[in-house]
Amino acid sequence: MICSKYLTGINNNPDHIQTVLNSPNLLNKTFHYNFFRVGRGLFASPDYIWKNDRKLLNRSFSPAMLASFVDTFNEKDFVMVETLKKYVGKGEIDLHLHVAKCNIDAFFSTSFGTDLNTQNHDEADAYLNSLDTFFSLIWKRILSVHRYPKWLYSFTDDYKTETKCWDDIRGMSKRLLQEWKQQPRQTEVRHDGDSYGRKPALNFADNLFDVAENNPSLTDEHIMDHIDTIIAAGHDTTATTVSNLLLMLAIHPEVQEAVYQEVMSVCPDKSKPVTTEEANKLVYAEMVCKETMRLFPVGPLLGRKCVADVKLDGKKYLSLEPSIWGPEPEKFDPDHFLPEKVAKRHPYAYLPFSGGPRNCIGIRYAWLSMKILIAHLVRNYRFKTSLKMEDLNMKFAIILRITNGCMVSIEAR
């Protein structure tokens, strides 16, 4: 039985995890999530708010909507490929910022219809730094019980820095909110291609406003909580995963070559965009991505609040447990995700996007955007590094990071 009121971490038992993530008595997040200041966004909202909002916002990531994003993914990836040309043969550099800029450009364009164009200028760097600093300070607060009371925390320099970062973050959502309010929006039901008269697919911003217009109780603060949540969740997690993957390819040249061969067999023309159908055929690249997320899960913690006792049973284990991942669980091996091995594994032994009803809303978005970017980068460049697996150091935080950075050298193919 779960005896405590709050659940701030769960053990390495997939049966337990499945029970916890699916229990109606464990849908609420712990009080720590209030530190993020987005209490009405999907990330932290109480179940009675989350249930309704999640249902309404799901269509922002429908297959039809994702298909409309592919051109934007390719456009931003082509920019990154061009940007990296100046680093060819120049020694090792940290690629994370370049990946982050490419990712946030695509994310803002697809989700908000706003082109930040961060890859061609540095004006958004302060915003990205504010996001990173904000998360670091939230993690520091979570680890320091004496900082939990806001009245006490407010006397610290960290609180002042955190508030400055939050003002920068909220300033972006306020700007987007004002821009959207000034734009004409189509609210009537369209019948283009849908014989049932259902509403068309909408990007996140249009969908959010459509919901707000039909729900007067959805305040500006509530809307901005959703905006800030989706930016934080959709940007940093994906950028960190792709950066980690590129480093894994550089450390494991035989894996990189296998990914390259697959990409060249599916979409060999460097001048052409990668289609959804082609991305779906990149099976081995997806295995490599999954293995990267197994060893370096970007979201290593979750917290759930119990509203009633929940019974936990089971005997299996996950993470780096040899009984699930074999005799060398710390070894980077994409074959862990061969179909026959996946079929034998407990479905909750691997949860890169969480699980149950409160899983990540953007799973399909993340997979499609990552695979298209990987294809562009691998078919244009070869990545090398002096780092080895045993050299890597981890920073355990809200976003798990390899502190060495994505230090790679770039060669043109």
Side-chain angles (χ1 to χ4, degrees):
M1 304 290 288
I2 297 178
C3 300
S4 63
K5 184 178 179 181
Y6 294 102
L7 182 69
T8 55
I10 50 181
N11 62 17
N12 288 343
N13 187 315
D15 290 317
H16 290 182
I17 292 174
Q18 184 172 17
T19 299
V20 167
L21 295 181
N22 287 279
S23 172
N25 295 320
L26 285 159
L27 285 176
N28 285 306
K29 302 295 184 74
T30 63
F31 69 90
H32 306 86
Y33 287 70
N34 295 328
F35 298 163
F36 291 90
R37 308 192 187 199
V38 286
R40 287 150 296 192
L42 291 179
F43 176 68
S45 59
D47 60 352
Y48 67 91
I49 293 177
W50 165 80
K51 287 178 181 177
N52 185 60
D53 288 1
R54 172 66 183 256
K55 182 179 179 181
L56 294 171
L57 294 173
N58 270 335
R59 62 178 173 155
S60 300
F61 300 95
S62 68
M65 202 68 242
L66 290 178
S68 72
F69 294 160
V70 171
D71 287 346
T72 300
F73 292 153
N74 279 285
E75 175 191 343
K76 301 306 179 184
D77 295 350
F78 276 124
V79 173
M80 182 174 177
V81 167
E82 185 66 26
T83 299
L84 293 186
K85 286 182 178 179
K86 60 187 167 188
Y87 299 107
V88 172
K90 303 294 185 181
E92 292 186 356
I93 64 166
D94 189 345
L95 279 187
H96 179 74
L97 182 58
H98 295 284
V99 174
K101 284 189 169 188
C102 178
N103 182 263
I104 204 166
D105 275 355
F107 190 78
F108 266 73
S109 293
T110 55
S111 297
F112 305 120
T114 299
D115 189 0
L116 292 184
N117 194 26
T118 65
Q119 295 188 89
N120 290 317
H121 60 72
D122 299 328
E123 293 177 15
D125 286 10
Y127 176 73
L128 295 175
N129 289 331
S130 290
L131 281 172
D132 189 56
T133 302
F134 181 76
F135 282 126
S136 296
L137 292 174
I138 294 299
W139 178 245
K140 186 176 180 180
R141 187 181 180 189
I142 289 173
L143 294 180
S144 306
V145 177
H146 65 278
R147 291 170 177 249
Y148 286 9
K150 185 177 178 181
W151 69 269
L152 189 59
Y153 181 47
S154 64
F155 288 105
T156 67
D157 290 338
D158 283 349
Y159 175 79
K160 296 179 178 64
T161 303
E162 180 192 307
T163 300
K164 169 66 168 59
C165 292
W166 176 247
D167 289 342
D168 292 341
I169 295 168
R170 205 59 154 182
M172 175 66 77
S173 57
K174 286 180 179 178
R175 192 188 89 185
L176 291 170
L177 181 64
Q178 292 306 314
E179 288 177 356
W180 295 334
K181 283 186 173 182
Q182 295 169 8
Q183 293 175 358
R185 294 178 299 281
Q186 179 174 342
T187 58
E188 70 272 14
V189 176
R190 290 209 312 254
H191 297 266
D192 48 346
D194 191 332
S195 59
Y196 295 99
R198 290 175 296 213
K199 288 187 177 181
L202 299 171
N203 70 15
F204 185 82
D206 291 336
N207 191 13
L208 189 56
F209 262 95
D210 187 59
V211 171
E213 287 171 346
N214 291 284
N215 183 6
S217 65
L218 202 67
T219 66
D220 284 357
E221 290 297 315
H222 192 156
I223 292 171
M224 287 189 289
D225 278 0
H226 279 306
I227 295 171
D228 293 326
T229 296
I230 205 71
I231 291 173
H235 152 61
D236 206 13
T237 53
T238 302
T240 300
T241 296
V242 173
S243 297
N244 292 346
L245 183 144
L246 293 174
L247 183 60
M248 290 301 100
L249 294 183
I251 292 176
H252 303 90
E254 71 287 352
V255 173
Q256 182 174 183
E257 182 61 23
V259 172
Y260 172 72
Q261 293 299 332
E262 179 182 65
V263 169
M264 297 307 288
S265 70
V266 172
C267 45
D269 192 335
K270 301 178 183 179
S271 65
K272 292 184 177 180
V274 179
T275 67
T276 302
E277 293 72 20
E278 289 169 339
N280 290 336
K281 293 177 181 178
L282 299 177
V283 177
Y284 186 72
E286 182 172 320
M287 289 167 57
V288 174
C289 193
K290 288 179 176 178
E291 178 68 352
T292 300
M293 289 189 286
R294 180 183 75 84
L295 291 178
F296 310 102
V298 291
L301 290 175
L302 63 84
R304 293 290 176 90
K305 177 182 177 180
C306 302
V307 297
D309 286 346
V310 177
K311 186 177 181 179
L312 301 179
D313 298 306
K315 298 180 180 179
K316 297 178 182 178
Y317 296 91
L318 67 156
S319 188
L320 299 178
E321 174 58 41
S323 65
I324 288 180
W325 302 105
E328 297 180 284
E330 295 183 1
K331 179 181 178 182
F332 183 84
D333 183 5
D335 285 353
H336 282 133
F337 293 94
L338 288 168
E340 58 270 24
K341 291 187 178 181
V342 172
K344 295 177 182 178
R345 196 157 38 229
H346 193 290
Y348 278 71
Y350 177 73
L351 297 168
F353 297 98
S354 190
R358 289 200 78 156
N359 67 342
C360 175
I361 194 174
I363 295 174
R364 290 178 296 187
Y365 181 102
W367 278 122
L368 185 59
S369 63
M370 287 192 293
K371 290 169 74 173
I372 290 176
L373 177 55
I374 292 163
H376 277 284
L377 294 177
V378 169
R379 71 184 183 182
N380 280 276
Y381 301 112
R382 179 182 289 108
F383 302 97
K384 294 184 176 181
T385 184
S386 59
L387 291 171
K388 302 182 184 304
M389 291 295 285
E390 56 267 27
D391 299 329
L392 304 184
N393 297 308
M394 306 301 300
K395 180 182 180 182
F396 194 76
I398 302 298
I399 302 294
L400 188 73
R401 299 190 188 279
I402 298 174
T403 58
N404 308 72
C406 181
M407 299 301 300
V408 299
S409 59
I410 305 173
E411 297 178 0
R413 289 192 183 269

